[in-house]
Amino acid sequence: MKRKQAAFLCSVIIAIGAVLMARTATNGDAAKARRGTTIVIYLAGDSTVAAAPRSRAPRAGWGEMLDGWFDDHVVVKNMAASGRSAKSFIEEGRLERILRELKKGDYLFIQFGHNDEKANDPARYTEPFTSYQAYLQQYIDSARAKGAIPVLITPVERRRFSADGRALDSHGRYPAAMKALGKHERVPVIDLTTKSKQRFEQLGPERTKRWFLWLEPGEHPNYPKGIKDNTHFHQRGAKEIARLVVEGIVELNLPLRRHLIRSPKREPIRDRLSDETP
């Protein structure tokens, strides 16, 4: 009898062990499957997109704020770099670095224009409807060759206003050239130029200073003499520009929208500094 009981107990233990091993394997496979569904958004762009070093806080690029909009299935890799144009980014090998990691189903977000406009700098300058489009084409073709999805983003506006308080264009023909290329190549385009200009006009000349890197002397230790920067964003402004990018994702009905954890629907413009997270 004792031998039978011992044999029975052994068989039960073996069965339980088999079940636990099966569950472990299943959970492991599920974890691998989850990792396998991760989508990476690679950002190629200039300083308005790039992460700013701590020494320049509270300056920030909108790319720093994008990751927080998505669930765990999406990762944002901000490869943007200050001072780069569509041309110099490629010629410095920065696109190639992205391509070494880029895989099927990933996204390549592309925003250039600010530095392409610098006609006195041959290392960066591109002409809107010729060389600018030609360099952008390289991003598109390279992403597609990897099975990834390119998304063009027209350059975010600078802070420029007319005497009567109207927001002004600051990028000439570059946004139109990008949109024309996107239409020809059937590439999604987020018109961040128009979106940002509209928001700046809503805010007006004074309130937009809070979105940009405008600081009084002594207001921040990184800028003891103060600063008046109409190109780069304060952290709170970068957050709102990221919101406009997400708004564009929703409007284009990109599959990425399924991974958003909140709606980018516009909220009332906050007028009190205390309402805005620095």
Side-chain angles (χ1 to χ4, degrees):
M1 177 66 71
K2 290 182 179 179
R3 289 181 179 177
K4 288 183 179 179
Q5 288 176 339
F8 175 74
L9 287 172
C10 286
S11 64
V12 170
I13 291 169
I14 291 170
I16 292 172
V19 170
L20 290 174
M21 289 176 65
R23 285 182 178 177
T24 301
T26 300
N27 290 339
D29 289 343
K32 289 179 182 177
R34 286 195 294 272
R35 288 196 295 270
T37 60
T38 299
I39 300 165
V40 182
I41 303 173
Y42 291 88
L43 305 182
D46 53 40
S47 58
T48 61
V49 186
R54 290 184 180 179
S55 61
R56 295 191 176 183
R59 173 174 149 178
W62 63 256
E64 296 181 68
M65 311 301 176
L66 193 61
D67 190 70
W69 284 92
F70 295 98
D71 62 25
D72 292 340
H73 292 283
V74 175
V75 173
V76 176
K77 287 197 175 183
N78 191 352
M79 309 292 277
S82 295
R84 272 61 183 190
S85 68
K87 175 183 179 180
S88 65
F89 194 91
I90 288 177
E91 295 190 347
E92 291 177 5
R94 294 177 183 274
L95 176 59
E96 186 57 38
R97 292 177 207 169
I98 293 175
L99 296 177
R100 286 198 290 265
E101 300 180 16
L102 195 66
K103 67 181 187 301
K104 184 177 181 180
D106 287 342
Y107 286 78
L108 178 58
F109 282 16
I110 308 140
Q111 185 214 271
F112 290 103
H114 289 76
N115 298 301
D116 293 79
E117 302 162 5
K118 297 179 177 178
N120 294 326
D121 187 349
R124 295 186 287 181
Y125 176 68
T126 60
E127 199 282 332
F129 282 90
T130 55
S131 53
Y132 179 61
Q133 288 185 328
Y135 277 105
L136 292 176
Q137 187 74 55
Q138 292 186 49
Y139 294 85
I140 293 168
D141 293 344
S142 298
R144 285 175 167 171
K146 288 281 190 172
I149 303 161
V151 177
L152 296 171
I153 302 176
T154 61
V156 62
E157 278 289 4
R158 296 181 175 91
R159 179 185 170 277
R160 288 186 180 175
F161 288 88
S162 65
D164 60 353
R166 291 180 298 108
L168 299 175
D169 296 332
S170 65
H171 294 299
R173 298 189 298 160
Y174 289 88
M178 180 180 277
K179 287 188 283 187
L181 178 64
K183 182 177 181 180
H184 183 267
E185 293 296 320
R186 297 183 179 180
V187 173
V189 179
I190 296 174
D191 190 357
L192 189 58
T193 308
T194 298
K195 285 181 173 294
S196 57
K197 181 184 176 184
Q198 289 173 345
R199 289 306 294 267
F200 298 164
E201 187 145 333
Q202 287 177 328
L203 286 165
E206 287 303 312
R207 292 162 75 191
T208 47
K209 292 177 182 177
R210 296 186 191 163
W211 282 25
F212 285 84
L213 197 61
W214 272 61
L215 299 170
E216 295 296 328
E219 186 175 346
H220 196 283
N222 283 341
Y223 303 90
K225 296 182 180 180
I227 187 171
K228 296 180 180 180
D229 186 337
N230 292 316
T231 296
H232 300 105
F233 296 103
H234 190 286
Q235 290 169 2
R236 55 179 168 257
K239 288 180 181 180
E240 295 302 324
I241 299 302
R243 180 193 298 276
L244 296 181
V245 173
V246 174
E247 188 178 82
I249 290 170
V250 172
E251 291 169 352
L252 290 170
N253 200 27
L254 296 178
L256 278 173
R257 68 177 297 172
R258 295 196 293 267
H259 297 285
L260 291 172
I261 58 176
R262 63 186 189 275
S263 171
K265 186 177 179 181
R266 289 178 180 172
E267 299 175 358
I269 298 170
R270 292 167 294 189
D271 192 29
R272 292 180 299 165
L273 188 60
S274 59
D275 289 338
E276 297 175 322
T277 303

